Amino acid sequence: MITKIAVKNDNFRRKWTYTNSARDAWSDILLRFKTIRPEGNILLPAYIGWSPNEGSGIFDSVYISGLKYSFYELNLQLEIDFEKLKQQILIDTSQLVLLVHYFGFPDKKYDEIISWLKQNEITFVEDCAHAWLTDLIGGKCGRAGDFSFYSLHKILPTIDGGLLVDNKPNIFDEGFTPYFNLTYDLQSIYNKRIFNYKYLINLLKGLDNEFTFLHEEIEEGICPQTLPVIVNNYNRDKLYQEMNDAGFGM
């Protein structure tokens, strides 16, 4: 039977809550976790971004929460050592695990990792601060965790803004909608970011002794937030500051 009335109003819905930043969304998630497990542990990836201007979007919230924390291993390409991750989780399956999609790229073993986490009923959060379009347009991440969070100003031309997404809400508020203006053509932004990424890759190939690319190729569905490189022969923090001083926002 075909009906004009929705049979199930909550199919494929995700509860979006506006925050001032991705950092605030992550802090909110930690507060919820602490309310349930005040002695709980947060299991974080071993690479934590930090800058002298902004501190750490990931770690500052954890530190302020007062919760215990530990780290799981990544390799130089920021890929998860899955076997060691499993060992660490099985020590305490009540931990909150954070997966970070660095620069818009999910881990190469993402599907395998989230399948194992769900099978073992592990609570986990996806940091999609860089990967909003990889989630929203590409459909490659962000839907599996109990929560996801996003940074809007890293993707759209806004001053600030973040989103906390509850992927498994128990009760939906009737009539809630995303807070921000969806007149942005997200598909075109998605396509342009991929074009720019490939353009910059070609420019930097002439300096391949100076940089090592983390992701030289882009898998279908991935929308990079930035082009991540390893700086081979120069101090990373000094380069960061010099580029900021020259007007390139880093």
Side-chain angles (χ1 to χ4, degrees), residues 19-232:
T19 61
N20 288 328
S21 64
R23 184 184 307 223
D24 286 351
W26 174 223
S27 295
D28 191 301
I29 294 167
L30 292 171
L31 180 61
R32 298 184 194 200
F33 179 74
K34 186 174 182 178
T35 300
I36 299 170
R37 300 191 184 115
E39 300 301 320
N41 187 67
I42 312 299
L43 188 54
L44 303 166
Y47 178 78
I48 299 296
W50 176 87
S51 79
N53 293 336
E54 299 178 334
S56 173
I58 292 175
F59 189 72
D60 288 352
S61 296
V62 176
Y63 182 77
I64 291 169
S65 76
L67 288 159
K68 295 181 292 184
Y69 58 87
S70 53
F71 298 96
Y72 59 86
E73 287 192 32
L74 307 172
N75 65 18
L76 192 59
Q77 283 69 44
L78 305 181
E79 296 166 347
I80 296 170
D81 187 323
F82 187 26
E83 292 305 313
K84 289 185 178 179
L85 174 64
K86 288 191 284 189
Q87 293 171 15
Q88 284 183 265
I89 290 173
L90 291 175
I91 293 172
D92 175 10
T93 57
S94 71
Q95 297 177 84
L96 176 67
V97 179
L98 181 67
L99 302 180
V100 179
H101 306 312
Y102 296 104
F103 314 111
F105 293 83
D107 192 274
K108 289 181 179 179
K109 292 186 177 180
Y110 173 75
D111 290 337
E112 185 181 353
I113 291 169
I114 63 170
S115 176
W116 185 87
L117 290 170
K118 289 193 286 188
Q119 287 173 8
N120 288 273
E121 299 182 343
I122 307 301
T123 302
F124 68 100
V125 173
E126 297 187 57
D127 178 347
C128 301
H130 293 174
W132 188 49
L133 294 181
T134 300
D135 170 357
L136 200 63
I137 304 298
K140 288 288 188 176
C141 64
R143 318 296 176 89
D146 295 83
F147 295 95
S148 301
F149 59 91
Y150 308 93
S151 176
L152 299 180
H153 68 91
K154 294 182 186 298
I155 303 296
L156 302 177
T158 60
I159 296 174
D160 53 22
L163 286 174
L164 189 165
V165 179
D166 186 343
N167 284 321
K168 302 175 183 178
N170 294 319
I171 301 173
F172 282 96
D173 299 327
E174 287 302 318
F176 76 85
T177 57
Y179 88 99
F180 58 92
N181 188 342
L182 278 177
T183 56
Y184 288 111
D185 182 351
L186 298 181
Q187 182 70 60
S188 293
I189 294 172
Y190 172 92
N191 292 337
K192 188 63 175 178
R193 282 182 170 273
I194 292 171
F195 174 86
N196 288 344
Y197 191 94
K198 292 177 179 178
Y199 178 78
L200 288 171
I201 285 280
N202 287 329
L203 286 180
L204 289 173
K205 280 183 176 177
L207 301 171
D208 55 1
N209 291 328
E210 304 299 327
F211 302 105
T212 301
F213 300 113
L214 265 67
H215 305 280
E216 191 165 344
E217 303 294 331
I218 304 178
E219 180 184 335
E220 184 71 26
I222 301 299
C223 182
Q225 186 265 340
T226 39
L227 169 56
V229 299
I230 297 171
V231 180
N232 294 328

